[in-house]
Amino acid sequence: MLRQRVITGACLAALTVWAVLGLPTAYLGVVFLLVVGAAAWEWGALLALGTGGRLMYLSLVLLLIGVAWWLREQPVLLWGLLLIGGGYWCYVVVWLKRYTARPGRRDPWSVWTAAGIPLLVNTWFALVFLHGAQQFGPGYVLFLLALVWLADSAAYFAGRRWGRHKLAPSISPGKTREGALGALLLALIFSLLGAWLLNFQPWPVFVLVSMGASVFSIIGDLFESMAKRQHGIKDSGSILPGHGGVLDRIDSLTAAAPMFLLGLLVLSL
């Protein structure tokens, strides 16, 4: 399983680096649209929707992505979308705490239906906006993706080697506090390197935002674990050998991407 996971991860990493650095923003947006569309399809399966229902859900997500992109140059609407995304993930922290206080609870179907929309729309928007924005660009997208993947890998290996204390046993029994600490330690080192490579000034701002995104990447991972636990499934899909579904692969990114963009814009004002 580990070998399969590593091979799949390496292939995905190579394709992603090529796409982020080699494609114009418009084409990369289409690539990310396919990824988010696959995740929306899996979210529809999570909701136990039939084929017709999943198509409607996918169409709604794609429509809202189109509207968000069309209105991106309107400052009020741009900040509104970003703040909605930030507020969403801050509420998720409360949601996770509420679940740990009452393990085994099942939130209503309507709540989960609504929850998938900002999760998916804001992920796509944050990545594509970062890629195309004059003050940021492809390097920032590549840094963010690497940050999330490195933190996820560090959490996995540190947890296996030193993990003793459970992070959130009622949500994801395999995750440990030692694993989370390993993820944040590697994220700190990589953030310092990223600030230097991207020549971001002041560099402490970049490190602070990156560390915040790393924390929320863990929250995003826990959130999808809670979603799967409430719906009684192990993986969101099986399209990626060793990794499960698309949602399983981008769960950390769904939280990290919007919070990273929001943090950069707010602290750069």
Side-chain angles (χ1 to χ4, degrees):
M1 177 63 75
L2 178 59
R3 181 182 178 184
Q4 192 177 48
R5 182 182 178 92
V6 170
I7 292 173
T8 301
C11 292
L12 289 174
L15 287 172
T16 301
V17 170
W18 171 80
V20 170
L21 298 181
L23 293 178
T25 300
Y27 291 108
L28 185 69
V30 173
V31 173
F32 285 155
L33 205 60
L34 294 174
V35 174
V36 170
W41 186 261
E42 291 177 356
W43 196 270
L46 187 79
L47 300 171
L49 297 176
T51 301
R54 291 165 78 176
L55 284 172
M56 290 179 62
Y57 196 80
L58 170 61
S59 299
L60 177 60
V61 169
L62 296 181
L63 175 63
L64 291 175
I65 285 175
V67 171
W69 189 247
W70 182 49
L71 298 174
R72 71 189 184 282
E73 294 184 1
Q74 303 296 324
V76 173
L77 296 172
L78 169 63
W79 279 101
L81 182 65
L82 292 173
L83 291 174
I84 287 172
Y88 174 89
W89 284 107
C90 288
Y91 176 72
V92 164
V93 176
V94 177
W95 194 349
L96 291 170
K97 287 195 66 176
R98 188 178 63 186
Y99 183 80
T100 56
R102 292 177 55 193
R105 64 170 290 158
R106 178 75 179 266
D107 290 294
W109 180 86
S110 57
V111 171
W112 283 112
T113 302
I117 295 173
L119 180 145
L120 297 167
V121 172
N122 278 280
T123 300
W124 183 90
F125 182 85
L127 291 171
V128 179
F129 186 91
L130 270 174
H131 191 272
Q134 186 176 3
Q135 69 269 44
F136 303 124
Y140 284 78
V141 176
L142 195 59
F143 166 80
L144 174 62
L145 295 175
L147 176 71
V148 170
W149 290 338
L150 286 172
D152 182 61
S153 298
Y156 177 77
F157 289 109
R160 287 191 61 180
R161 176 64 180 83
W162 296 290
R164 296 292 183 275
H165 304 89
K166 300 298 183 182
L167 179 64
S170 61
I171 297 175
S172 183
K175 293 180 175 61
T176 63
R177 296 179 184 179
E178 291 82 2
L181 184 60
L184 294 178
L185 180 59
L186 184 57
L188 175 60
I189 297 170
F190 189 65
S191 298
L192 291 167
L193 177 63
W196 176 67
L197 291 173
L198 295 170
N199 194 29
F200 189 99
Q201 296 295 334
W203 65 265
V205 168
F206 186 84
V207 172
L208 178 63
V209 171
S210 299
M211 293 304 295
S214 301
V215 170
F216 273 95
S217 75
I218 298 172
I219 292 169
D221 192 349
L222 288 173
F223 183 59
E224 201 220 347
S225 295
M226 182 180 72
K228 292 188 294 186
R229 184 166 290 275
Q230 286 201 28
H231 291 87
I233 63 173
K234 183 178 184 297
D235 296 316
S236 66
S238 57
I239 193 173
L240 301 174
H243 290 269
V246 173
L247 272 172
D248 296 319
R249 183 63 277 179
I250 68 168
D251 51 5
S252 300
L253 187 63
T254 58
M259 299 306 283
F260 182 69
L261 175 58
L262 179 61
L264 285 178
L265 290 175
V266 169
L267 294 180
S268 296
L269 290 175

